[in-house]
Amino acid sequence: MSRSSFQQFHWQSQQFGCASNDIDRFYSLLSEQMQRLGMLKQTLGDIENYPVDLYCSPAPQKQLPDILISAGFHGEEAAGPWGMLKFLSQLSEQVFTSVNLSLLPLVNPTGFKAGHRFNIHGENPNRGFGVADGNAVETEESSQEGKLLIKQQALLQALSQDGILTCHEDVLQHHCYVYSFEPEQAAGNFSYGLRDSLAEYFLVAEDNSIDGCPLDDGLIHNHYDSSFESCLVRIGAKQGACSETPALEDFDQRINANSAVMQQFVNSSAS
Ligand SMILES: [Zn+2]
């Protein structure tokens, strides 16, 4: 089996009372939460009239860890962005006293709206993040969204220097797992903590091979490819992870799990 680039996936969320691809409702609820928290918006660019927005702590403090959470690279992996919305709804301004938090809530708006993996131009937004001489570089695989992010690499590198979490889903799975990156060869508390937060909601994938990568204890550890998260770690993020919730399971449960893994990431990064 492989992931189809244009197969459409739609789910209904009970807790949000709308369809997983209701982009107008998503942006509207997101804007409410961001205003409540006072986070600062920077639009990195537009894809077919939809903004790719970056949000940052209202008043970043030099001594605090700089961490970045991203979601919505693949359009059919909808519980990531909705999970971020839930995570935000449970957050208070207090969080900004322990971390400098930055967010990319929806990187691939056209894919999200259609409910399919790739963007409207048929590109994979989580590939084509090349690295040369310690800098992110475009490759033949780079998407429009990717090019926007690569253009802002100095900013994104600074905002993620103490950690990057990116939230994905796996439409072929009933089980959860995590791609983890740590400076040590072996995975540590950071990686296992994220896995365990997902394991509150789903069974952890058994040891085997996912997409040709060795999966051990629910983790694919220090596997470098041309993804956004891999790139940020290679250009300087201290640690990183890509969480994978199982999209063959209940949508609201996946939203809850995404919210939980984001909270765990913040907790484990807080000084
Ligand atoms: Zn994905």
Side-chain angles (χ1 to χ4, degrees):
M1 278 199 293
S2 68
R3 287 171 195 78
S4 157
S5 310
F6 301 105
Q7 183 184 348
Q8 298 195 358
F9 294 85
H10 299 137
W11 295 276
Q12 188 69 22
S13 168
Q14 300 305 318
Q15 58 188 309
F16 286 104
C18 64
S20 54
N21 67 330
D22 190 341
I23 194 166
D24 295 331
R25 180 151 174 82
F26 177 79
Y27 276 125
S28 149
L29 292 173
L30 184 68
S31 150
E32 272 177 32
Q33 289 302 327
M34 293 304 188
Q35 279 177 30
R36 181 180 66 81
L37 292 164
M39 294 190 81
L40 306 174
K41 179 166 88 173
Q42 184 176 339
T43 299
L44 304 185
D46 289 298
I47 307 289
E48 303 292 312
N49 295 323
Y50 288 110
V52 176
D53 291 328
L54 168 71
Y55 290 88
C56 298
S57 277
Q61 298 176 52
K62 218 178 163 65
Q63 75 279 13
L64 296 181
D66 294 292
I67 60 170
L68 174 66
I69 307 176
S70 60
F73 274 85
H74 292 139
E76 89 282 32
E77 303 175 7
W82 290 105
M84 184 174 288
L85 206 45
K86 175 150 194 172
F87 160 74
L88 289 168
S89 73
Q90 296 172 341
L91 215 56
S92 80
E93 291 99 325
Q94 193 67 27
V95 69
F96 305 125
T97 63
S98 56
V99 289
N100 295 326
L101 177 64
S102 300
L103 304 170
L104 286 165
L106 180 54
V107 172
N108 174 11
T110 59
F112 181 87
K113 186 182 181 193
H116 63 53
R117 184 172 187 78
F118 285 5
N119 67 14
I120 199 170
H121 306 292
E123 301 161 329
N124 182 345
N126 202 34
R127 283 291 176 268
F129 294 89
V131 176
D133 301 325
N135 294 305
V137 292
E138 290 182 11
T139 75
E140 287 172 2
E141 281 188 309
S142 301
S143 62
Q144 286 200 9
E145 296 81 3
K147 288 173 185 171
L148 293 177
L149 298 173
I150 290 168
K151 233 176 242 142
Q152 296 293 334
Q153 65 173 296
L155 174 62
L156 295 172
Q157 193 277 329
L159 297 177
S160 67
Q161 53 187 324
D162 295 293
I164 163 72
L165 170 67
T166 188
C167 294
H168 283 249
E169 297 202 278
D170 191 329
V171 292
L172 304 179
Q173 283 288 325
H174 284 288
H175 298 150
C176 60
Y177 59 97
V178 173
Y179 290 88
S180 55
F181 301 88
E182 291 190 47
E184 301 296 324
Q185 209 171 347
N189 290 341
F190 169 75
S191 304
Y192 287 112
L194 295 171
R195 180 204 61 184
D196 290 347
S197 71
L198 296 180
E200 298 278 324
Y201 298 86
F202 303 107
L203 293 172
V204 173
E206 293 188 10
D207 292 1
N208 61 18
S209 194
I210 286 186
D211 296 340
C213 306
L215 177 77
D216 191 13
D217 245 0
L219 299 178
I220 297 169
H221 190 62
N222 287 348
H223 166 80
Y224 292 90
D225 52 23
S226 74
S227 66
F228 178 63
E229 60 275 15
S230 175
C231 172
L232 283 184
V233 171
R234 289 173 75 189
I235 68 171
K238 196 175 78 185
Q239 51 195 8
C242 165
S243 58
E244 296 276 356
T245 45
L248 292 175
E249 295 292 311
D250 179 72
F251 185 52
D252 281 286
Q253 189 77 344
R254 286 151 47 203
I255 291 174
N256 296 342
N258 275 279
S259 171
V261 77
M262 292 178 202
Q263 189 59 60
Q264 169 63 26
F265 174 69
V266 168
N267 294 348
S268 72
S269 308
S271 54

